[in-house]
Amino acid sequence: AWSRFPNLVHESLGIEETSEVEITLADGRSYCGYPDSRQSPRGQIVLWGSDPQTDPPKNLGPFSIDDVVSVRKLA
């Protein structure tokens, strides 16, 4: 199902964890971090990153695939 977001998926490995991404949700919130496929339950994604409200990195999510409107790979 995540294949509709090609910036998030590696062809043969599934969710690609080595690139930082920005996920934008339907309600307009955005989160940046590295996807963690082991912590991501089916149909949801967890990022390891920073919330604009907090300083230290932490697990963000899980976010439902139904709430994600875009995924952008960060440089």
Side-chain angles (χ1 to χ4, degrees), residues 20 30-33 47-58 60:
E20 186 176 18
S30 293
Y31 297 92
C32 296
L47 301 178
W48 175 253
S50 303
D51 183 316
Q53 308 284 325
T54 64
D55 288 331
K58 63 178 185 174
L60 304 173

Side-chain angles (χ1 to χ4, degrees), residues 7 10 15 18 24 27 32-33 35 37 40 45 49-50 56 59 64 67:
N7 290 327
H10 183 277
I15 294 175
T18 60
T24 303
D27 66 6
C32 296
S37 62
S40 298
I45 185 114
S50 303
N59 279 340
S64 171
D67 294 332

Side-chain angles (χ1 to χ4, degrees):
W2 288 106
S3 60
R4 66 178 149 171
F5 302 107
N7 290 327
L8 186 62
V9 178
H10 183 277
E11 294 173 9
S12 59
L13 300 176
I15 294 175
E16 203 265 293
E17 298 179 306
T18 60
S19 297
E20 186 176 18
V21 297
E22 177 184 45
I23 289 181
T24 303
L25 304 178
D27 66 6
R29 292 179 295 157
S30 293
Y31 297 92
C32 296
Y34 292 87
D36 186 339
S37 62
R38 290 172 297 253
Q39 295 292 325
S40 298
R42 188 174 193 91
Q44 299 188 11
I45 185 114
V46 172
L47 301 178
W48 175 253
S50 303
D51 183 316
Q53 308 284 325
T54 64
D55 288 331
K58 63 178 185 174
N59 279 340
L60 304 173
F63 305 108
S64 171
I65 191 170
D66 296 328
D67 294 332
V68 175
V69 294
S70 70
V71 177
R72 181 174 65 99
K73 193 178 282 192
L74 302 176

